[in-house]
Amino acid sequence: MRIGELSSRSGVPVPTIKFYVREGLLPAGQLTSPNQASYDSGHERRLRLIRALLDVGGLSLAAIGDVLRVVEDPAQPVHKVLNAAAKRLTPLHEDEAGPELEDARDEVAELVERRGWRVEAHGPAGESLAGVIVALRRAGHGGFVELLDDYAAAAEPVARADLDYVGRRVAREDLVESVVVGTVLGEAMFSALRRLAHVDASARAYDGGGARDGGPDGEGVESTEVPGAGG
């Protein structure tokens, strides 16, 4: 296809496509004349991945370049490709520091050991969790940390469901895009479901069951605020 058709099919403007080519994020098309190039479905897939990493994942172009270099290396095992993408998406709490953070890191390591998780406790996700623990304690809700194992137990089946979805993908780029969407939008979906469950649990515990003032979905119930409910 010509670049105009590629732009139409991908939704990415022609100048942006040319910029991605110049930056090495998108392979150049095959020259059919001195001023014309042909593109294929691989270019369209790559554009979708770039836009997912940029728009959904919130990565910088430099970070996207790092991920794409791993994707393009056929010697890299798939789990390393997924790790490279996920690592860039995990928020870190770099403003937290001091003895509190070290204690929180120890708690994360103990949690990982208790659960028997085959994961680096001090990797990006572990560091992010340690930062959350510090923030909870500084906010006066250190007791919430006692729910770590409950949260971990709930996270395990969700993680298996995520991987089941990712496992349906075949192309390496599809795998990475699944990680991006699953990490960002999956967390948003889980957060929304959690809020709905809070409303239901609050209604059952404090209102004798059933929703009020908000129809069958219970949106009208004044749910008890829970630290970390988010969103």
Side-chain angles (χ1 to χ4, degrees), residues 28 38 46 72 74 79 82-83 92 104 148 164 167 184 199 202 224 228:
S38 177
R46 172 57 62 85
E72 291 170 343
H79 76 274
L82 299 179
N83 183 61
L92 298 177
L148 273 177
D164 178 65
V184 180
V199 172
S202 178
T224 302

Side-chain angles (χ1 to χ4, degrees), residues 103-173:
D103 290 342
R105 284 170 173 162
D106 290 341
E107 289 178 84
V108 173
E110 291 168 4
L111 172 71
V112 168
E113 185 175 359
R114 279 198 307 275
R115 306 300 305 184
W117 287 349
R118 294 186 292 177
V119 61
E120 173 54 56
H122 299 307
E127 287 291 286
S128 181
L129 177 56
V132 170
I133 291 172
V134 172
L136 279 169
R137 290 200 168 115
R138 289 181 178 176
H141 290 283
F144 203 72
V145 179
E146 296 173 6
L147 302 180
L148 273 177
D149 278 284
D150 294 327
Y151 271 67
E156 287 171 352
V158 173
R160 288 193 291 271
D162 288 342
L163 286 180
D164 178 65
Y165 173 75
V166 170
R168 301 173 203 168
R169 306 309 205 195
V170 178
R172 290 164 69 90
E173 293 194 10

Side-chain angles (χ1 to χ4, degrees), residues 7-177:
S7 173
S8 177
R9 291 177 59 165
S10 66
V12 179
V14 170
T16 303
I17 293 175
K18 292 181 176 179
F19 172 74
Y20 291 158
V21 171
R22 289 196 303 272
E23 293 296 308
L25 300 178
L26 182 71
Q30 183 177 1
L31 287 176
T32 55
S33 71
N35 298 316
Q36 294 286 345
S38 177
Y39 300 86
D40 58 26
S41 60
H43 290 91
E44 185 180 353
R45 178 182 292 118
R46 172 57 62 85
L47 281 174
R48 287 203 309 268
L49 176 57
I50 292 172
R51 298 309 300 187
L53 290 169
L54 187 66
D55 298 336
V56 181
L59 272 67
S60 67
L61 290 179
I64 292 173
D66 291 342
V67 172
L68 293 179
R69 277 189 286 276
V70 177
V71 174
E72 291 170 343
D73 184 356
Q76 293 284 354
V78 170
H79 76 274
K80 288 193 175 181
V81 175
L82 299 179
N83 183 61
K87 187 166 68 173
R88 286 291 189 172
L89 292 167
T90 305
L92 298 177
H93 297 262
E94 297 178 348
D95 56 330
E96 311 290 359
E100 292 172 294
L101 181 59
E102 292 304 316
D103 290 342
R105 284 170 173 162
D106 290 341
E107 289 178 84
V108 173
E110 291 168 4
L111 172 71
V112 168
E113 185 175 359
R114 279 198 307 275
R115 306 300 305 184
W117 287 349
R118 294 186 292 177
V119 61
E120 173 54 56
H122 299 307
E127 287 291 286
S128 181
L129 177 56
V132 170
I133 291 172
V134 172
L136 279 169
R137 290 200 168 115
R138 289 181 178 176
H141 290 283
F144 203 72
V145 179
E146 296 173 6
L147 302 180
L148 273 177
D149 278 284
D150 294 327
Y151 271 67
E156 287 171 352
V158 173
R160 288 193 291 271
D162 288 342
L163 286 180
D164 178 65
Y165 173 75
V166 170
R168 301 173 203 168
R169 306 309 205 195
V170 178
R172 290 164 69 90
E173 293 194 10
D174 284 344
L175 283 170
V176 177
E177 188 165 342

